[in-house]
Amino acid sequence: MTHIIADISVSLDGFVTGPDPGPENGLGTGGEPLHTWAFSDDPDDRRVLREATARSGAVVLGRHLFDVVDGPGGWDDTTGYGAGEVGKPAFVVVTGSRPDSVRLTGLDWTFVTTGLADAVATARERAEAASAAAGRDLDVFLMGGGALIGSALDAGLVDSLTLHLAPVVLGTGTPLFPGRAPRSLVQRSVTPTSTATHLTYDVL
């Protein structure tokens, strides 16, 4: 069965980027330590990353994040979705309008202009088709940004939430939960490593 999993790195004070994020500065000023775990040699970090990448049948991201990963300083053949794992599931982008061009033409992009719920439904269809082809269950991952994941939680579109809690205090930036509490969460697993604490919650 395909599940919808929100998956994002976050600071101890609840930020998913530092201040002033943009296409040339995806994690904002000082935000790079949020993703230290994804490039770590710690075997548990590698396992968390490898298992999530392998389970990804489709991935949903917002337009701002697409502009970062498809920009000149974004993903390439050695670092992409899954960092060094470089997974290549179907990617579904929530956007108000399609981009004029796409740099990463070797990836499978679908642009949905009718809202987040439709994007998640499209991603579920793609993940279910990938599951049938692979002969095993694959999931939909919401990789962000933070506003997309917060909206998906608010809308009840998420089955589980995985947070990669980085031991850094940013002080400001893009908050994951701006001015609101998340929906009811039940902790399922905790994996502490040398660079982060990986927490997974079921969303009620």
Side-chain angles (χ1 to χ4, degrees):
M1 179 179 179
T2 294
H3 292 91
I4 311 299
I5 302 169
D7 186 293
I8 197 164
S9 299
V10 63
S11 69
L12 291 174
D13 49 349
F15 295 102
V16 296
T17 76
D20 303 317
E24 303 297 323
N25 190 28
L27 289 173
T29 302
E32 291 80 6
L34 291 171
H35 285 181
T36 297
W37 73 271
F39 299 93
S40 162
D41 291 329
D42 184 295
D44 286 321
D45 285 329
R46 303 308 306 166
R47 177 183 56 78
V48 167
L49 187 65
R50 182 175 59 252
E51 290 177 355
T53 304
R55 287 187 3 248
S56 299
V59 174
V60 179
L61 62 158
R63 177 57 184 271
H64 292 304
L65 185 52
F66 167 79
D67 288 341
V68 171
V69 303
D70 194 57
W75 291 348
D76 58 26
D77 290 337
T78 60
T79 301
Y81 177 71
E85 295 292 323
V86 194
K88 294 187 177 181
F91 294 96
V92 178
V93 181
V94 187
T95 181
S97 61
R98 295 177 56 88
D100 294 332
S101 62
V102 175
R103 178 178 64 86
L104 297 168
T105 56
L107 299 178
D108 179 355
W109 297 103
T110 300
F111 298 93
V112 175
T113 59
T114 52
L116 177 57
D118 286 346
V120 171
T122 298
R124 185 189 291 276
E125 291 174 1
R126 299 299 302 276
E128 288 173 347
S131 297
R136 59 189 177 90
D137 287 339
L138 297 173
D139 296 320
V140 172
F141 279 75
L142 310 185
M143 68 173 284
L148 182 146
I149 286 180
S151 295
L153 286 165
D154 286 347
L157 299 173
V158 177
D159 297 313
S160 66
L161 170 66
T162 296
L163 299 176
H164 308 286
L165 185 63
V168 59
V169 175
L170 295 176
T172 186
T174 305
L176 182 56
F177 302 116
R180 64 176 181 268
R183 298 170 66 91
S184 297
L185 305 175
V186 175
Q187 190 175 89
R188 189 197 317 159
S189 67
V190 179
T191 303
T193 73
S194 61
T195 62
T197 302
H198 307 283
L199 304 115
T200 296
Y201 300 88
D202 292 321
V203 181
L204 301 183

